[in-house]
Amino acid sequence: MGKTSVETQAPSYQWLRSAALIIALAMVITRCLTQEFLRDPTEVMPGSQAAPRGVGAAIGVALDLACCAPALLVLLHRALTKKRQRAGLAPLLFVLFAALAATSFVWATDRYAAGVGAAHLIAGGALIWAASQLVTDWTAVASLASTCLGILLCLFAQGIYYATVDLPDLRDRWLNDVAGTRTNLLKSHNWQEGSFAAKQFALKILHGDFATFYTSANTYAAMLVLLAVVVAGLYLSEPKKPKSLALLIFIIPLLWMLWLSQCKAAFVTLFLAVVFFLIVRYAKTWLIRFRGQAYALTLLLVLAVIGLAVSYGQRHGNLHNDSLNFRWRYWVASAHMFVAHPLLGVGWNNFGDHYLAFRLPAAPEEIKDPHNMFVRVFCELGIAGGTLFVVFLLISWWRISASRMPAEQDKPGIISARGLIVAAILAMAINVISSIDFAQIPAFIFIEIMRRFLFLALLLLSILFVLDPIKKQLSTHSLPWLPAAIGIGLGLFLIHNLIDFAIFDPSPGPLMVFALLIGGLIGIRSVQTTLAKFAWASFGIWLAIALMCIGAFVAPVLLADSDATQADEQFRENHCYQAAVLFENAQRLIPYNAEYPFRKAEALIYAQAPLNEVDAAVNQAIAENPRFIDAYLLRARYFQRQAGQYKSAIVAAYEKATALNPNDVGIRLEFAEFLKDSSEPQKAVEQYQKALWYNNQFPPEEAKRLSPEDVEKIQQNIAGLK
């Protein structure tokens, strides 16, 4: 009797990879359907109404940590199986770029903004690497398509609801001040009726601001185009199937939402998408055969267009379009900023604080982003960060332009339909917990939860479009157009980011989608595994780094935000001294957030605390962020209300504020009024004249321009002082 050998195989631990992909999809979904902000946009004052709290920096960095979980699971899987997916240098380069952004915490003036912004980039880098390891079969590719379709449907639903329900109702309530809507909104933001901020807010309401989950309507439009192009790849892969034909219905809401967003760039990129699909359709063989030449030609075309735009702008001083002219002014000022900080930049997420000092006189906007991804990267991280970012894009595009595809498969892949369902449910659960303010009235909470149930239904509906109708599981066969569609969508998204800030929107959802898709495309083109060396050491090191980040950054930010939230509640209820104590507690936890001592100073002023306590808090804010203009203005205005000789301190505060923001007409007029009342006629005249000069540089249609009546009054003041 012969011997029979039994082949024993090591466990594959496939469930770890499946869990990692499920978490990655869930985190991308929840962040795309959530508006996040660095600091609360509503100003808190005694008696002001509490607006619904969204996702602030504290919840944002916690979500960033969750976005890193898939990478840790992949590392654990690699340690257990000794196998790794070869993804090349691209993911590593983005991680190094994110690490440099985190290091800029050292030289940034607003270190809190640098830290939070860098956390978003680190999460994006973790997603790129994790996706490059996980998206290796057609079920994973199908899961990307289903996720993009689900997010697209949710964006449609949000936009349609806003256009047909929220916006008309808000317009009526604003115009007619129904139930005090306009009065309460102005009060909650601490705005005066007729002020510039109030007028700008009114324009957003009356014209319809389709920012939805993002800061800008242009970001919303860019996301629609990116997701729609990916979904087009799903249609083209199986164009004759009934479920694919149903995708054509979504063209109607797509064009409607793009029209309402008033984003011309989105229509241009949508047209270019059609052109690129035709090129791939009829020149596929040539593109594969002459891949290097096609890559070089594409790069030269992009550089030529950029060069022509820069040359035209330098020759004419504009770009022959009102919208582009605004951007040209941003970029010219940014060039001066870059020259002042060429090597390492001003620090990640710190563009806005420095821009005001370089702003051109004809540019009235106080922007936080230059509306160009390369300009921002080079300004904030200098030549070092800009080079890393550019090389990352070049290497990524070379990798994803390859023609390599995953092999056909008969057995189930890394993720199943159940896995996609779990991802959708997990995403909405996280979204509900992180983004709904349960301190609001029950009606508000009910509506928000119902909206999440609608999103969940749309996400589940999107799964049907990637199911095999016979096997009732995710399609395991080839979807040949999807990789090309993802590449085209990402390329157009980057083109859009040459004139907008979608990829670096304060709400990092677009960045996370970009990371998932480009990482997934790298994974598709890298279907080869090799032996993993030092796997357990790598897992241990990155786990230790994650735990250190929790202890040193994430946990303190969460605790400080909790104290600050309680301080806001105390401040609204006019318990000002208690609010000041809580702000001080938050400051102890996060000493590098200048906003905490600043808000402490405001609370102490309302509590009628001694002047030295208020001034000490203002000093702390200025010491932490020397470019914090509001702190200088707070000191100047507060000292003016005090009895005593503080003239030199007030003048110094105004001079610092005007040096940091020389174009601000309002600050100069305020300074001039103080000088006039302080018997400094010559200096008052100088400030009045500078205010008029800067005012005259604004475009004639600019809302910030002073009215003829205001100009006449200033001229009378000048004549009287002379």
Side-chain angles (χ1 to χ4, degrees):
M1 186 175 177
K3 296 182 179 180
T4 60
S5 62
V6 180
E7 182 181 358
T8 59
Q9 295 183 349
S12 64
Y13 298 100
Q14 180 76 342
W15 65 270
L16 281 172
R17 288 166 51 81
S18 300
L21 184 55
I22 289 170
I23 294 172
L25 297 176
M27 294 311 304
V28 169
I29 292 170
T30 193
R31 303 203 81 168
C32 281
L33 305 181
T34 305
Q35 185 171 17
E36 300 182 29
F37 51 83
L38 177 63
R39 293 184 171 99
D40 197 332
T42 60
E43 188 173 2
V44 177
M45 288 294 169
S48 62
Q49 288 192 339
R53 285 181 59 85
V55 176
I59 300 298
V61 297
L63 294 176
D64 288 332
L65 187 65
C67 287
C68 296
L72 289 174
L73 289 176
V74 172
L75 285 170
L76 178 59
H77 177 270
R78 189 167 74 173
L80 291 169
T81 61
K82 306 301 181 184
K83 294 180 181 179
R84 70 182 181 92
Q85 176 78 12
R86 296 188 64 182
L89 284 175
L92 174 62
L93 286 170
F94 194 92
V95 171
L96 291 175
F97 169 70
L100 179 62
T103 308
S104 72
F105 176 92
V106 176
W107 63 84
T109 52
D110 188 346
R111 295 191 293 165
Y112 186 71
V116 173
H120 298 337
L121 290 181
I122 291 170
L127 279 176
I128 291 175
W129 184 81
S132 71
Q133 304 297 304
L134 296 170
V135 183
T136 58
D137 62 39
W138 286 112
T139 61
V141 177
S143 72
L144 296 186
S146 174
T147 299
C148 288
L149 176 56
I151 296 173
L152 181 65
L153 295 179
C154 293
L155 293 182
F156 284 161
Q158 180 71 8
I160 292 170
Y161 182 85
Y162 181 73
T164 59
V165 179
D166 277 351
L167 184 58
D169 180 63
L170 184 56
R171 281 172 174 164
D172 177 62
R173 288 175 172 273
W174 177 268
L175 291 172
N176 301 310
D177 200 19
V178 177
T181 299
R182 184 173 69 247
T183 303
N184 292 331
L185 278 172
L186 293 175
K187 187 177 180 181
S188 67
H189 289 82
N190 200 33
W191 293 333
Q192 297 295 323
E193 184 85 47
S195 66
F196 174 74
K199 289 178 181 177
Q200 290 297 100
F201 188 75
L203 286 174
K204 280 190 171 186
I205 292 175
L206 298 177
H207 291 169
D209 182 13
F210 273 78
T212 59
F213 300 113
Y214 313 115
T215 304
S216 167
N218 292 332
T219 300
Y220 175 65
M223 285 292 290
L224 291 180
V225 173
L226 168 60
L227 298 170
V229 171
V230 175
V231 173
L234 185 61
Y235 163 75
L236 291 172
S237 295
E238 300 175 321
K240 296 182 180 180
K241 292 189 176 182
K243 65 178 182 181
S244 297
L245 293 173
L247 293 173
L248 298 176
I249 300 173
F250 302 136
I251 295 176
I252 298 173
L254 172 66
L255 296 177
W256 182 23
M257 291 299 104
L258 290 179
W259 176 262
L260 292 176
S261 72
Q262 303 177 26
C263 179
K264 299 181 181 67
F267 284 101
V268 173
T269 52
L270 196 63
F271 170 76
L272 289 176
V274 176
V275 173
F276 290 144
F277 274 123
L278 291 174
I279 291 174
V280 173
R281 169 65 178 84
Y282 293 104
K284 180 179 179 180
T285 303
W286 185 89
L287 291 173
I288 295 174
R289 183 178 179 184
F290 301 101
R291 175 190 171 205
Q293 293 88 329
Y295 179 87
L297 178 61
T298 303
L299 183 60
L300 288 174
L301 285 174
V302 172
L303 292 175
V305 171
I306 294 174
L308 287 172
V310 172
S311 176
Y312 184 94
Q314 289 179 327
R315 189 165 58 251
H316 298 278
N318 60 65
L319 291 179
H320 196 63
N321 177 280
D322 287 341
S323 179
L324 291 178
N325 284 341
F326 283 116
R327 287 160 171 78
W328 177 253
R329 294 171 192 141
Y330 305 157
W331 302 336
V332 172
S334 300
H336 297 306
M337 185 193 303
F338 171 73
V339 170
H341 306 273
L343 185 59
L344 296 174
V346 298
W348 188 249
N349 226 12
N350 273 239
F351 177 89
D353 283 351
H354 291 261
Y355 169 77
L356 297 177
F358 297 93
R359 178 171 50 148
L360 299 183
E365 303 87 353
E366 298 183 0
I367 58 171
K368 296 294 185 182
D369 190 288
H371 292 67
N372 180 294
M373 60 182 178
F374 295 120
V375 174
R376 174 169 176 179
V377 168
F378 276 93
C379 282
E380 294 189 340
L381 295 179
I383 294 173
T387 302
L388 276 174
F389 187 69
V390 170
V391 175
F392 157 73
L393 291 178
L394 291 175
I395 292 180
S396 297
W397 240 254
W398 176 250
R399 173 58 67 94
I400 67 180
S401 65
S403 59
R404 189 180 294 114
M405 292 279 200
E408 293 275 356
Q409 59 195 71
D410 296 324
K411 60 182 181 179
I414 185 174
I415 191 169
S416 64
R418 288 183 179 179
L420 278 182
I421 293 172
V422 171
I425 295 173
L426 180 61
M428 286 303 99
I430 296 172
N431 192 285
V432 167
I433 294 170
S434 63
S435 65
I436 296 180
D437 185 354
F438 288 95
Q440 297 297 310
I441 60 175
F444 170 84
I445 297 172
F446 176 78
I447 291 173
E448 290 300 307
I449 290 177
M450 288 300 102
R451 189 173 298 178
R452 270 60 174 192
F453 273 115
L454 172 62
F455 293 160
L456 177 59
L458 294 173
L459 291 168
L460 296 178
L461 174 65
S462 68
I463 299 174
L464 297 177
F465 289 89
V466 293
L467 280 180
D468 186 320
I470 299 176
K471 297 181 179 179
K472 304 298 181 182
Q473 62 183 23
L474 289 189
S475 178
T476 57
H477 64 272
S478 172
L479 297 168
W481 274 94
L482 259 180
I486 293 173
I488 291 171
L490 289 172
L492 295 174
F493 184 68
L494 292 177
I495 290 175
H496 198 126
N497 277 273
L498 294 177
I499 58 172
D500 275 312
F501 56 84
I503 193 171
F504 296 132
D505 192 280
S507 290
L511 172 64
M512 300 307 163
V513 169
F514 172 82
L516 179 70
L517 291 180
I518 199 167
L521 204 51
I522 291 171
I524 294 169
R525 305 308 193 193
S526 309
V527 288
Q528 48 185 317
T529 58
T530 58
L531 179 66
K533 298 179 180 179
F534 312 110
W536 279 110
S538 297
F539 173 71
I541 291 171
W542 286 109
L543 180 60
I545 291 174
L547 294 175
M548 288 173 57
C549 290
I550 293 173
F553 185 69
V554 178
V557 168
L558 285 168
L559 293 172
D561 183 74
S562 176
D563 284 336
T565 301
Q566 294 179 50
D568 286 341
E569 294 173 359
Q570 294 292 324
F571 200 19
R572 288 192 190 94
E573 296 173 4
N574 209 19
H575 301 151
C576 302
Y577 193 77
Q578 292 89 326
V581 171
L582 287 166
F583 282 132
E584 186 174 353
N585 292 341
Q587 182 189 352
R588 288 197 191 98
L589 289 164
I590 303 293
Y592 46 84
N593 186 357
E595 185 185 23
Y596 292 149
F598 175 79
R599 290 162 72 182
K600 173 188 171 184
E602 288 184 319
L604 288 172
I605 290 172
Y606 277 88
Q608 299 182 351
L611 182 143
N612 63 320
E613 292 186 21
V614 176
D615 196 42
V618 175
N619 277 333
Q620 288 174 339
I622 292 173
E624 184 49 49
N625 184 357
R627 307 188 76 86
F628 197 176
I629 296 174
D630 286 348
Y632 295 105
L633 294 177
L634 180 66
R635 166 175 283 165
R637 293 161 184 168
Y638 174 67
F639 277 0
Q640 287 181 68
R641 299 196 297 269
Q642 308 306 307
Q645 298 300 318
Y646 301 106
K647 180 179 175 180
S648 60
I650 295 170
V651 170
Y654 275 125
E655 286 178 343
K656 187 64 177 180
T658 53
L660 293 173
N661 191 3
N663 301 10
D664 195 300
V665 173
I667 295 177
R668 290 198 177 275
L669 291 177
E670 187 178 322
F671 189 16
E673 290 293 324
F674 169 74
L675 292 170
K676 183 183 73 170
D677 296 338
S678 301
S679 302
E680 294 278 0
Q682 185 176 352
K683 292 182 179 179
V685 168
E686 181 183 348
Q687 292 301 322
Y688 277 132
Q689 289 175 336
K690 286 183 177 179
L692 289 178
W693 186 85
Y694 281 112
N695 181 69
N696 290 334
Q697 307 311 305
F698 291 159
E701 69 280 1
E702 173 55 41
K704 277 190 174 182
R705 280 183 71 99
L706 298 172
S707 66
E709 294 79 14
D710 290 334
V711 172
E712 183 179 357
K713 182 179 179 182
I714 294 170
Q715 290 171 340
Q716 290 174 355
N717 285 339
I718 294 173
L721 290 168
K722 285 185 176 180

